[in-house]
Every structure is written in structure tokens, then in C-alpha cells.
């Protein structure tokens, strides 16, 4: 199979063309399995952002996309989905080389879901309606929905193409123009997306990608007066900076940020299913999931049985090369993350939690001294105030805490600054639904975990951010409402 560098140049995608960084600089993208550079990408700066925003602005102002007949725009988005499917193997390979996620997760789960997201929003293009209102006197009121304009998008490294699709697909459906800045560590699938958009018929300048660092490219994009909206997914710390910077030009902002999501197991749960759900909740994608169920709260009556089950599941979570068959967890995405996760593990040990499984690097065993491999790790008896129960680790590290009553569970569940997601496990649906309603989280899974659908909105409460991706709610994020008064007298 062709590699990323055979297909994609080390360039931005601006105005419908590949365009090297104005500075001529490139930087390497590192394969977390070998710690070696697997491909080069353009190292952008503010002047590249300027060029991309100009291209986006021009395409928006000419109306070439937003005024295109909706049925035609819809067909183009559908074609994009088909092209993503047709190029699935190559895109998935690039995604795995950038992130360390398994070939199965990239190729069988995530890239196909990206295509479905484009199909879902292709369906919306012809259904974006306004309304007509009765007004006093002889007047008619029209409530119209219009695209916001130029949307700057900034995405993280854990689900590079999927999270870009969460933003790009609804924004394009609503007729916006885009400048996307993917994470500098995982840019290739976003470049793929831009290439396929152009092939599908998205006009030049409508969808631009500028690659490079957070401060070099992200900050100028957030500050740019030619950008109307910023849609950001990433850490709560950077999200805070983005909101501050965007306030100078009063841009619209949506923020999808971090989480420390609780998975709550009641003593009447189907325990086998709950153990499986808790394991996928934390070990899918090496725990590098914003909604990872990184805390499991277990009712005392089934606590020991749950621990025995999760210990076994952790032991069966094979860590290996992400392209190798049978691997359940590849390496974590980058060197900083590797160091940080191992530090959290040491902190867990030092703060007195009981280490039940894992708890160490597997670099030597799996990668012959190279690669960011970490064992599936479970701590039991974790104090809800402990660092590993409060901080987002963003790695394969689970903190299990017992509880006695529903009130205890709710109090512990709410005892972090985040509110992204939660899970509830109980066979008493009345209890499960009541508890789901009481939880302050943007998504609550009942008797399942970590499922996503293009139609289900996703986003956070509290410091997990605001605004929603996916679903019909995302259409609100990429449209402005305009009221038109018509005097008929
Ligand atoms: P990050 O905040 O470090 O980076 C995210 C993006 O912001 C990257 O593209 C980065 O280059 C850019 N960036 C960094 N500094 C910037 C600045 N000063 N101005 C503008 N842009 C800047 O996050 P990460 O480490 O890439 O991703 C992990 C984080 O993302 C975790 O906290 C995770 O929970 C969160 N996340 C949230 C969701 C969600 O939907 N809520 C989904 C996935 C990941």
C-alpha cells in the first residue's frame, strides 16, 4: 500500500491547492510505535493562516457554496462520504501511523463512521428550514437560518478525522467556509479530508487546512478578524485560552473539552455487561477518549466481584503494535502523553490506591525499548479526592471507588470540575433513568458505554465546555438566525 508521503505532500491545503508553508518549513510526524518520523508536514505560521482565511472569506463572500442549490450541495457531501469509504484503507493507515490506534479501530470503526457523518449531514442540507411568523398589523415575519461565515476549527490528536468530521460536515452542510487546524501530531487524515472534498466538488477556498503548532497556527486563527466562529476540541486549559483570545473580536465559540467521566455500577446491574462496558470505557483507544469512563463507582454489594472481573479484563487487553492483528491497545499517542500517564500511575501508587492490574510501561516487552506502550491499568479503593480520581489522565488508567447509597454515588460522580459523560449500570430502568436525569453530564449511557451516532448530540456541562457537536444541534452552531420584517400594507 502507498504510504502517506506517496499521496500527500508536506503542504497546507489552501484555495483548492496544495500549498507549502510560506516559511518553507516542515516538521515531522512521529509514529508512536517506533518513535520515528513517518512523514513530513508543513509547519504553518500566521502568514499561512492569513492566506487560508482570505481564501475562505472570498469563497464565502462570492456565495459559490452557500448559494449553491441545496440538492447539489447535498450530493457533493454524499460523494465525499463515498470517496472516504473508497480510500478507507489508506486513510486508516495514516491515522494509525499518526496516533497509534489499532488498524481495526481506524479502519473498521472510525473512518467508516466519518463517512456516515458526512451522509447524515448531506441529508440535512435540503431540510434547513426557517419559519414564517404572524406579526402585528399587516406585516409578515421571516425567520431565516444563514451560515455563520468563515469557521475556524481546531482539533486534537485522539480522534483526528472523526472529530474534524463532527465539525466540518455540519459546517459545510450549512454553507460555511472553513479553515481547519488539526493537531500538529496527527494532521494527515484532515489533509485527506480536504483532498477528497475537492475531488467531490467542494469549490476552491471553501475548505482549507493549515497544519502546524497550537501557538503558531491555532492562536492566529483564533485572533483573526476574518474568522467569524471558532469551534475547538481539546483540553480545558487550551479551551480557556481560546475563549479569552476569541473575545477580542467577539467570535462565536464552541468548546468541546476534557472529562473525568464516571461509570456507575449498581448492585442490580448485569455485572458481566458492566465489567465489559467499564473495560471498553477506559481501554478503547488507550483511554485517549474525552468521554473515557475513567472513574468507575461500584456499589459495595458487588464491589469485590466487579474488581475480579475488571482485573481479568485488563489482563486480557493485549498491548501490541497497532498494525498487528490481535492488538487491543497500541502505544499512547506521543512522548508527552507517555510521560504524563506514567507519572499519574506513580501518583496513584504514592497516594495509596490499590494497584490491581498493569501499572507500568511495556516499552521493553512490546517495542524492544521503543514506542509509547503502557499496560492496561486498574486502581481499586481510590479516594474520590485522589489525583487519579480528579485529573483527566487521558490514558489507559482506571480508578475504581466503592459507594453505598445512590446519594453517595451522585455526590462522588459530581465531585470533579468536568461534566462530559457518564454511564449507569442497573437492571432497574426506573432507577437508571432517574439517575441519568440527575447526572450533570452532556451524555449519559445506560447499560452501555462509549457509543456514538451522527444523530446524537455530544458536548459538555461544567468545565467540559459548551455547544454541541453532532445531531441537529450542531446545525444551530453553524447557522445564524436572521429576522426579516415585511410590511405588506
Ligand atoms: P490540546 O488542547 O493540547 O490541543 C488541541 C488543539 O489545540 C491542537 O490542535 C493544538 O495544536 C491546539 N492548540 C494548542 N495550544 C493552542 C493555543 N494556544 N491556541 C490555539 N490552539 C491551540 O489537546 P490535545 O492534547 O490535542 O487533546 C486532548 C484533549 O482534548 C483532552 O483534554 C481531551 O479530553 C480533549 N478532547 C475533548 C473532546 C470532546 O469532544 N469534548 C474530544 C476529544 C478530545
Amino acid at each position: 500500500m502507498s504510504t502517506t508521503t506517496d499521496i500527500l505532500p508536506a503542504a497546507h491545503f489552501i484555495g483548492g491547492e496544495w500549498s507549502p508553508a510560506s516559511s518553507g518549513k516542515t516538521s515531522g510526524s512521529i509514529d508512536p510505535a517506533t518513535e520515528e518520523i513517518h512523514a513530513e508536514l508543513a509547519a504553518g505560521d500566521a502568514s499561512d493562516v492569513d492566506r487560508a482565511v482570505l481564501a475562505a472569506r472570498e469563497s464565502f463572500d462570492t456565495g459559490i457554496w452557500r448559494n449553491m442549490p441545496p440538492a447539489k450541495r447535498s450530493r457533493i457531501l454524499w460523494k465525499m462520504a463515498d470517496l472516504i469509504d473508497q480510500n478507507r484503507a489508506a486513510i486508516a493507515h495514516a491515522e494509525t501511523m499518526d496516533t497509534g490506534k489499532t488498524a481495526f479501530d481506524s479502519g473498521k470503526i472510525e473512518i467508516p463512521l466519518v463517512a456516515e457523518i458526512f451522509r447524515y449531514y448531506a441529508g440535512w442540507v435540503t431540510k434547513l428550514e426557517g419559519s414564517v411568523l404572524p406579526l402585528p398589523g399587516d406585516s409578515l415575519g421571516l425567520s431565516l437560518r444563514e451560515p455563520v461565515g468563515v469557521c475556524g476549527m481546531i482539533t486534537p490528536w485522539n480522534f483526528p478525522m472523526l472529530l474534524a468530521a463532527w465539525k466540518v460536515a455540519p459546517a459545510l452542510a450549512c454553507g460555511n467556509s472553513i479553515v481547519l487546524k488539526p493537531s500538529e501530531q496527527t494532521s494527515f487524515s484532515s489533509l485527506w479530508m480536504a483532498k477528497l472534498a475537492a475531488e467531490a466538488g467542494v469549490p476552491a477556498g471553501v475548505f482549507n487546512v493549515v497544519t502546524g503548532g497550537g501557538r503558531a497556527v491555532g492562536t492566529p486563527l483564533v485572533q483573526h478578524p476574518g474568522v467569524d466562529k471558532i469551534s475547538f476540541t481539546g483540553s480545558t486549559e487550551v479551551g480557556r485560552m481560546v475563549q479569552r483570545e476569541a473575545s477580542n473580536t467577539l467570535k462565536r465559540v464552541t468548546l468541546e473539552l476534557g472529562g473525568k467521566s464516571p461509570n456507575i455500577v449498581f448492585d442490580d446491574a448485569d455485572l458481566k455487561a458492566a465489567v465489559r462496558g467499564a473495560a471498553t470505557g477506559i481501554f478503547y483507544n488507550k483511554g485517549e477518549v474525552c468521554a473515557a469512563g475513567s472513574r468507575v463507582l461500584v456499589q459495595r454489594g458487588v464491589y469485590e466481584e466487579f474488581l475480579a472481573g475488571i482485573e481479568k479484563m485488563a489482563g486480557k487487553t493485549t498491548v501490541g503494535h497497532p498494525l498487528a492483528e490481535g492488538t487491543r491497545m497500541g502505544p499512547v499517542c506521543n512522548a508527552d502523553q507517555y510521560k504524563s500517564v506514567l507519572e499519574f500511575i506513580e501518583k496513584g501508587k504514592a497516594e495509596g490506591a490499590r494497584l490491581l492490574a498493569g501499572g507500568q510501561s511495556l516499552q521493553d516487552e512490546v517495542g524492544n525499548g521503543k514506542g509509547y506502550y503502557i499496560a492496561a491499568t486498574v486502581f481499586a479503593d481510590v479516594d474520590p479526592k485522589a489525583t487519579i480520581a480528579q485529573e483527566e489522565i487521558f490514558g489507559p488508567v482506571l480508578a475504581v471507588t466503592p459507594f453505598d447509597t445512590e446519594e453517595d454515588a451522585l455526590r462522588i460522580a459530581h465531585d470533579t470540575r468536568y461534566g462530559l459523560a457518564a454511564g449507569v449500570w442497573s437492571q432497574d430502568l426506573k432507577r437508571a433513568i432517574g439517575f441519568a436525569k440527575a447526572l450533570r453530564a452532556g451524555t449519559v449511557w445506560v447499560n452501555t458505554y462509549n457509543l456514538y451516532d451522527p444523530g446524537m448530540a455530544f458536548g459538555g456541562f461544567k468545565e467540559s465546555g459548551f455547544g454541541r457537536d453532532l445531531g441537529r444541534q450542531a446545525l444551530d452552531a453553524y447557522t445564524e438566525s436572521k429576522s426579516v420584517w415585511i410590511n405588506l400594507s
Side-chain angles (χ1 to χ4, degrees), residues 154-159 163 166 181-184 212-215 218-219 222 232-236 238-239 241-242 256-259 289-290 392 394 420 458 464 469:
I154 301 178
T155 49
W157 44 257
N158 58 337
F159 293 97
L163 295 177
W166 285 15
K181 188 213 101 60
S183 166
E184 58 276 33
R215 287 190 189 282
T219 303
V222 175
F232 173 85
T233 300
S235 61
T236 293
V238 176
M241 287 199 274
V242 165
E256 297 278 5
L257 309 175
V289 181
C290 53
E392 182 183 46
F394 221 54
L420 191 57
F458 188 86
S464 291
D469 283 327

Side-chain angles (χ1 to χ4, degrees), residues 459-472:
F461 282 31
K462 295 161 71 180
E463 291 186 33
S464 291
F466 48 81
R468 293 292 177 266
D469 283 327
L470 297 179
R472 66 164 67 207

